[in-house]
Amino acid sequence: MKMPLLETLLLALFLLHLSHFTSGNKPVSTSSASSSSSSDIVRTSCVHASYPTICIRTLSSYSGSAINTPQDLAQAAVKVSLSRAHKASGFLSQLKVENKREKGALSDCIEQMGDSMDELRKTLSELKHLRKGNAFKWQMSNLETWVSAALTNEDTCLDGFKEIDGKLRSDVKRKITNVARVTSNALYLINRLDH
């Protein structure tokens, strides 16, 4: 009697898994086991994010507290976004511009990045205190609103440079796009908490 392909594959996987435990290998240390489960949750959670490669890269190398749950992962993603927004804001503050239009766009952008950071700070604070039931739905609504507002601020910042050409525009676009991508991933990971 022929075994169906799926059953054959499952049996092969089971035997491979079993051989790992019976071949005298040393047990995996707890720290590498937790870092392994941490990288597993990052990979499986990031696979459908808006920017999966950036999601995996930024969160796999995240050096904050351990990532063991989807909530930990969402917090880490918001912290990465907040950090990038802070760096971008510092970068923008250092730029020297000559004409009035550039100064106006830059000033507006710095203000929007400040607003974006405020939204992300509120998000992070709320993420640390998620509750169950109706309170959870209310909190999720707030989280989605705040991170969406942060993304809107980042987009609005870029819009201010549409009429400006040259190095200033490309530098600002590079920095803010980077922030917007990690923020978009953070929003995706927050939305996953609701499922």
Side-chain angles (χ1 to χ4, degrees):
M1 184 171 118
K2 277 179 97 176
M3 213 187 269
L5 181 61
L6 181 60
E7 284 179 309
T8 308
L9 286 173
L10 288 172
L11 180 62
L13 280 172
F14 173 73
L15 292 172
L16 183 67
H17 187 69
L18 189 61
S19 72
H20 175 74
F21 289 105
T22 57
S23 64
N25 287 341
K26 290 181 185 167
V28 179
S29 75
T30 349
S31 66
S32 69
S34 72
S35 80
S36 169
S37 70
S38 188
S39 65
D40 288 348
I41 193 171
V42 168
R43 276 195 304 279
T44 56
S45 301
C46 285
V47 74
H48 295 296
S50 311
Y51 303 95
T53 308
I54 292 171
C55 185
I56 291 168
R57 190 181 70 234
T58 56
L59 295 173
S60 292
S61 62
Y62 179 73
S63 58
S65 51
I67 297 173
N68 298 313
T69 66
Q71 189 175 340
D72 294 340
L73 189 62
Q75 282 183 45
V78 173
K79 285 178 184 174
V80 166
S81 183
L82 185 55
S83 168
R84 296 278 172 100
H86 190 267
K87 285 178 185 166
S89 185
F91 169 80
L92 295 170
S93 300
Q94 301 297 314
L95 290 175
K96 303 286 182 250
V97 290
E98 301 305 317
N99 71 49
K100 195 174 177 181
R101 175 186 271 178
E102 288 177 347
K103 280 182 181 172
L106 195 55
S107 172
D108 289 348
C109 190
I110 290 168
E111 186 178 325
Q112 281 140 2
M113 290 310 292
D115 291 346
S116 201
M117 287 188 288
D118 289 344
E119 304 290 354
L120 292 169
R121 281 188 200 101
K122 286 192 287 192
T123 302
L124 194 54
S125 175
E126 191 79 4
L127 266 174
K128 290 176 182 175
H129 305 100
L130 286 181
R131 295 182 292 282
K132 301 211 182 302
N134 288 336
F136 177 78
K137 288 180 179 166
W138 173 254
Q139 287 176 301
M140 286 302 295
S141 173
N142 285 338
L143 294 171
E144 289 162 2
T145 300
W146 293 329
V147 181
S148 296
L151 265 173
T152 302
N153 287 326
E154 292 152 13
D155 286 343
T156 305
C157 165
L158 287 177
D159 287 345
F161 287 87
K162 278 189 174 158
E163 305 297 316
I164 296 169
D165 290 321
K167 186 171 175 0
L168 177 65
R169 178 182 173 181
S170 65
D171 286 349
V172 170
K173 185 175 182 182
R174 188 180 72 250
K175 285 285 184 190
I176 302 303
T177 299
N178 180 297
V179 177
R181 286 177 177 168
V182 292
T183 304
S184 178
N185 285 340
L187 180 59
Y188 168 77
L189 293 169
I190 287 168
N191 284 329
R192 286 186 87 238
L193 298 176
D194 210 3
H195 301 298

